[in-house]
Amino acid sequence: METILIPVDKTLDNKKKYKQAVDILTSGGVVAFPTETVYGLGALATDEQAVQKIFEAKGRPSDNPLIVHIGNKEDVSNYATGITEDAEKLMTAYWPGPLTLVFDKIPGVIASNVTPGVETVGIRMPDHPVALELLRALAGPLAAPSANRSGKPSPTEAAHVYEDLKGLIPFILDGGQTGIGVESTVLDMTTSPPTILRPGGTTQEMIEAIIGPVRAGSKSPGEQAPRSPGMKYMHYAPEAPLFVISPDTTTIREAVETLHREGKRVAIIGPDDLDVLAADWYFAVGPRNNNDAMASHLYRALRQCDLTEADIILAVETDLTGVGAAVMNRLIKAADGKRYID
Ligand code: TXA
Ligand code: MG
C-alpha cells in the first residue's frame, strides 16, 4: 500500500485534502492525523471492520480499548451514559483538550472492537485545528489510538508516523509538530471519586481544581491490577535498554565512566544544561525543571536514541509536578521499571 503524506497548512485552502481523508474514512479506511498531544490513527468508530485495520496496522493487542474522538461536546451523550455533574464541569473547563473521560457506554452504537472486554467508553474532544476540522468534515466519531507501531514511542511529528506505518496505512495529514507531546489524561468517571488511569496533558492539579480530590493510579506500574487495559503492555520503548537516573551530575558522570569501562556506549536524555561531555550521545529536552518542555520533546528524543549505536540509554528523571507526573509515568514504562543505581 502506498502511504500519502499531505501537509495541511492553516493559510491554504485545504478542503480537498480533508475531503480525501473523509472519503477514505467513510469507505472503511484509516487516516493518521495530528492532535494537540500526539498523532492519532483514526477510523470511523461505528465501523467494526475499519477499526480492525487500526489494530492490524499498529500490531496492537486487540484487548486494549481505543479512545473515541468527538468534534462537539454535546456528542458525548450519543455514546455514553452516567454523565455526572462533575463530568459536565470538566468538559466545560477542559474540552477541547487533553482529557479523556471514561463513562458507561450506550450499547450498540460504537463498534464492539473499540471497547473490547469493557462496559465503558473513553471519549475526548481534541484541541487541534486539523483534528477538529477532520471531525467536522466527517460528522462522526473517530476511534484513534496513537499512530505508532505498538510498543514504540508515540508520534509527535508526521515523519514519526511515516517511519512506523509506511506501507501499512494510506494517508497521513501532516499538521507539523504536536504541542503537548504526551497523551491525554485518562480519567475514569465511573468510580467515586474519579480515578486517573493514565496521567497526561491535563494534570491532577487541574482536575482537582474543578471537582476536588481524585484517586491517582499507582505511581509505579505493576503495583496494581491494570484497570486501563493498556497499562500491562510494554510501551514507548527504544531499542537499547533504558534506565531512569537521578538528576545529580556526579551520579550521571560516574555512571557514564562505569559504563565506558564496561565497553558500553551511552546515550543520555536530559535537561539542556546538563554537563556530561563524556556521554556518547546527548539529547536535550529543554530547560531543567521545565516539565512542559520535557513532555513536548520526550518522544522525539526516545526515537532519536534508535538512530544511535548506544548500548544503553540513561534518562534523567524529573519531579512529579504538573505534566511531570505524565513524563515520569512514560519514562518508567520505557525503562520497564529499571533505575540506574551504580
Ligand atoms: O492523547 C491521546 O489520548 C492520544 C491521541 C491520539 O488522542 N490517543 C491515545 O490512545 O493515546 P491510545 O490508544 O494510545 O491510549 C489510550 C489509553 C490506553 O491506555 C487504553 O487502555 C485507555 O486509554 N482506555 C481507552 N478506553 C478505555 C476504557 N474504556 N477504559 C479504560 N481505559 C481505556
Ligand atoms: Mg498509545
Side-chain angles (χ1 to χ4, degrees):
M1 180 188 297
E2 195 199 348
T3 302
I4 301 170
L5 199 153
I6 297 270
V8 273
D9 188 314
K10 276 183 227 139
T11 59
L12 299 173
D13 180 9
N14 295 302
K15 268 216 183 81
K16 263 198 206 139
K17 297 171 185 173
Y18 287 106
K19 181 168 183 317
Q20 212 174 339
V22 167
D23 285 347
I24 292 171
L25 290 167
T26 50
S27 58
V30 296
V31 167
F33 63 96
T35 79
E36 79 282 34
T37 58
V38 300
Y39 275 74
L41 180 62
L44 194 57
T46 49
D47 180 342
E48 180 152 2
Q49 281 174 14
V51 170
Q52 182 56 31
K53 291 180 186 163
I54 293 178
F55 289 99
E56 282 162 15
K58 284 191 56 118
R60 178 179 174 113
S62 59
D63 63 346
N64 191 6
L66 306 178
I67 293 169
V68 173
H69 296 69
I70 57 175
N72 298 292
K73 291 182 196 184
E74 303 73 45
D75 295 348
V76 67
S77 56
N78 298 339
Y79 314 115
T81 59
I83 299 159
T84 58
E85 214 172 291
D86 279 350
E88 298 279 2
K89 286 186 198 158
L90 288 170
M91 292 187 283
T92 303
Y94 298 129
W95 277 10
L99 178 64
T100 296
L101 298 176
V102 173
F103 297 110
D104 290 321
K105 68 179 168 191
I106 297 177
V109 188
I110 296 293
S112 60
N113 55 350
V114 173
T115 56
V118 291
E119 296 309 312
T120 54
V121 58
I123 302 180
R124 84 177 191 101
M125 180 178 176
D127 187 15
H128 191 288
V130 176
L132 288 172
E133 183 55 31
L134 181 64
L135 284 162
R136 199 199 56 73
L138 178 67
L142 270 180
S146 50
N148 50 285
R149 282 289 290 177
S150 195
K152 288 273 142 205
S154 301
T156 52
E157 297 169 26
H160 299 162
V161 181
Y162 193 74
E163 232 164 68
D164 278 17
L165 301 179
K166 181 177 141 207
L168 297 170
I169 63 170
F171 205 72
I172 304 169
L173 284 170
D174 180 354
Q177 268 186 40
T178 64
I180 292 169
V182 292
E183 299 86 340
S184 64
T185 301
V186 179
L187 183 66
D188 187 350
M189 297 305 295
T190 68
T191 64
S192 184
T195 308
I196 295 179
L197 299 178
R198 176 178 73 179
T202 305
T203 66
Q204 182 172 352
E205 297 90 320
M206 289 165 68
I207 293 167
E208 292 187 334
I210 306 292
I211 61 167
V214 294
R215 216 178 297 158
S218 158
K219 292 250 156 78
S220 63
E223 235 176 61
Q224 63 170 30
R227 273 218 47 144
S228 194
M231 283 161 80
K232 66 176 182 274
Y233 297 108
M234 186 71 182
H235 266 101
Y236 319 112
E239 273 145 34
L242 182 144
F243 292 77
V244 173
I245 191 164
S246 122
D248 177 65
T249 315
T250 311
T251 307
I252 297 169
R253 204 173 279 141
E254 284 173 5
V256 174
E257 281 166 17
T258 305
L259 290 163
H260 278 169
R261 274 199 298 276
E262 293 169 4
K264 291 184 173 137
R265 285 162 301 177
V266 187
I268 297 183
I269 296 174
D272 294 349
D273 66 343
L274 195 73
D275 176 21
V276 254
L277 297 172
D280 301 278
W281 295 274
Y282 191 74
F283 299 107
V285 287
R288 190 178 291 269
N289 297 327
N290 184 335
N291 291 343
D292 289 341
M294 182 145 181
S296 166
H297 300 129
L298 178 64
Y299 289 148
R300 184 176 63 195
L302 288 172
R303 280 177 181 267
Q304 283 171 324
C305 288
D306 282 347
L307 303 175
T308 72
E309 278 139 40
D311 301 300
I312 183 167
I313 302 162
L314 301 175
V316 179
E317 73 183 345
T318 187
D319 64 69
L320 296 174
T321 56
V323 80
V327 167
M328 284 312 296
N329 168 275
R330 306 308 190 267
L331 271 186
I332 290 167
K333 284 188 182 179
D336 202 16
K338 299 187 298 301
R339 255 193 92 81
Y340 189 90
I341 310 159
D342 54 345

